[in-house]
Each structure stands twice: as C-alpha cells, then as structure tokens.
Amino acid sequence: MTIVVVFMAGVALVAGWWLSHQRLMAKPWLEEGALGEFSGGQSPSVPRAKLGLGVFLAVVGSLFALFISAYAMRMELIDWRPLPVPKLLWFNTGVLVLSSLALHLAVQSARRDDDAGTLAAVLAADVAAIVFLIGQLLAWRQLVAAGYVVAANPANSFFYLITATHGLHLLGGLVVLNRTAVRAWTGAAPRELRLSVELCATYWHFLLVVWVILLGLLTGWTTDFLAMCSHLLT
C-alpha cells in the first residue's frame, strides 16, 4: 500500500497547488473596492473539461497504483514465476511514444491555427495508437503460443490484467481521438479543435507515463526502486 499512499500524496499536492491559485484562503469580507469587483467571483480560467479530465486521471492513476501495489506484494510469494516479456513490447512502446509526440505536435499546430498540420498530426497519432493496440494483441498471441496462458501462474494473470486495463483505457481515448480526427477531416477550424486536441494530448501523455511505469514493473526494472521506496517509507 506504500505505492498507493505515495500516489495519493502526489494527487493531494497537485490539488493543493491548484486550490492555492483559486483564492481558497481569500476573505471576501476583507476585500476592498466596488461591489462586483471581487476577483474570487470570476469564472475559473481553466475549462471545466480540463478539470473533469484531471479528476478522471486521478481516478485512473489510483487504479493503476493499486495494481502496482498488488503486483509488488504478490511477487514476493514463493509461487511467483515471472513470464518473459515479449520483445514486441519495446516496439509497441516506441509506437506509443510516437503517438504521444504526434499529439503534442497537433496541439502546437492547433495553437498556430494550422489546419493541415493539425489534421496530419491527429491522424498520425490515431494510426500509431491503433498500431500499438494491434501490437499488444500480437504480444498476447506470442505468449499464449509459448504456453504462458492466463491461469498458468499469478504473474501471467497480472500481466494480462494490467496490459488489458491499459489497452482498454487507450481504446476509450481512441474513441474521442477519432471524433476529433473526423471533425478535423470535415473542415473544423483549428481553434474549434484546440480544446479537444489538448485534452487528447494530456490523456495520451498520461497513458504513456503509466505504460512506461508498467513496462518497468513487468521487466523487473522497478523492483529495486520499489524496495528502496518501501524501505525509506517504513
């Protein structure tokens, strides 16, 4: 549970930082000036869609933190037999990085009102995300062909559960990204797509970070790091 505590502490720090910029500690009865000039009554500068996405990412992050915590505790038992990670996962990781990078470029193009650049970048991110999901399915197929089925070992079950959950979240984001791509294809102005592209980019960057952490966990790279964190916090 140490991982979950660390994650929730990070969320609390981010929430506290954001609230500190929303005049949470303001005292309206001590404000001076004409009625209606109190800045605390103004609408928040951050769009509600971004706030909603932030809350959703906190929930999704909590879910993966629980998975990682359960994985770290379960792997200490004697019946744990880690399965070999397919080399295809490295290719898939590179494709996911390209997808995230394409969305970053899409955000930059949308802010410059570059409609052709926005469309090209969104389509590139879309294609790369689809290639990533297909690659994950092929990796599953390789493992099953080699005899590493779901019920063979707890490590196998965790591998399929974690990668499936990550893939489903990416698939859900792909629905929104496809909708944005269709709007860009049908001639929507970049300024009309800016918010949608920024939300997709934030979601993609988040899923990329989560996947890198999961890959480090599945390959054993983070084992020593988790042990060090657990030792420091306990």
Side-chain angles (χ1 to χ4, degrees):
M1 296 302 293
T2 303
I3 299 170
V4 178
V5 172
V6 171
F7 176 79
M8 296 306 296
V11 172
L13 286 175
V14 173
W17 171 83
W18 183 79
L19 290 173
S20 67
H21 288 72
Q22 307 303 315
R23 295 175 59 83
L24 181 65
M25 303 302 293
K27 300 176 181 177
W29 58 89
L30 297 180
E31 296 288 338
E32 297 181 355
L35 184 65
E37 292 181 350
F38 173 52
S39 58
Q42 298 175 354
S43 301
S45 57
V46 179
R48 293 179 180 177
K50 289 188 176 181
L51 291 178
L53 178 62
V55 174
F56 179 71
L57 293 184
V59 174
V60 175
S62 301
L63 174 64
F64 282 105
L66 286 171
F67 278 153
I68 294 173
S69 180
Y71 187 97
M73 290 188 292
R74 187 63 181 84
M75 68 186 298
E76 294 178 354
L77 300 184
I78 193 170
D79 62 340
W80 186 266
R81 299 286 186 274
L83 73 175
V85 176
K87 294 181 180 178
L88 185 57
L89 291 188
W90 299 106
F91 171 79
N92 296 344
T93 303
V95 173
L96 189 59
V97 170
L98 291 178
S99 183
S100 185
L101 179 61
L103 275 176
H104 174 73
L105 296 177
V107 171
Q108 301 301 319
S109 298
R111 289 175 179 173
R112 294 195 306 268
D113 288 332
D114 180 0
D115 51 352
T118 303
L119 175 61
V122 168
L123 290 178
D126 198 354
V127 172
I130 294 174
V131 172
F132 172 81
L133 290 175
I134 294 174
Q136 295 292 82
L137 292 176
L138 291 176
W140 277 19
R141 187 175 179 180
Q142 291 179 0
L143 288 173
V144 171
Y148 297 99
V149 295
V150 177
N153 188 271
N156 299 9
S157 303
F158 266 99
F159 177 87
Y160 288 107
L161 175 63
I162 289 175
T163 53
T165 304
H166 181 268
L168 287 175
H169 280 87
L170 191 67
L171 190 61
L174 198 57
V175 174
V176 181
L177 182 59
N178 281 329
R179 188 182 304 168
T180 304
V182 170
R183 291 179 60 196
W185 184 266
T186 54
R191 62 179 177 278
E192 299 174 356
L193 300 173
R194 191 175 303 168
L195 179 59
S196 297
V197 173
E198 288 179 353
L199 292 174
C200 289
T202 301
Y203 189 64
W204 246 246
H205 299 335
F206 172 80
L207 287 182
L208 174 61
V209 172
V210 169
W211 173 248
V212 171
I213 295 174
L214 294 178
L215 184 63
L217 185 72
L218 296 173
T219 55
W221 287 6
T222 56
T223 303
D224 294 338
F225 177 75
L226 292 175
M228 182 183 67
C229 291
S230 178
H231 177 72
L232 290 175
L233 294 175
T234 57

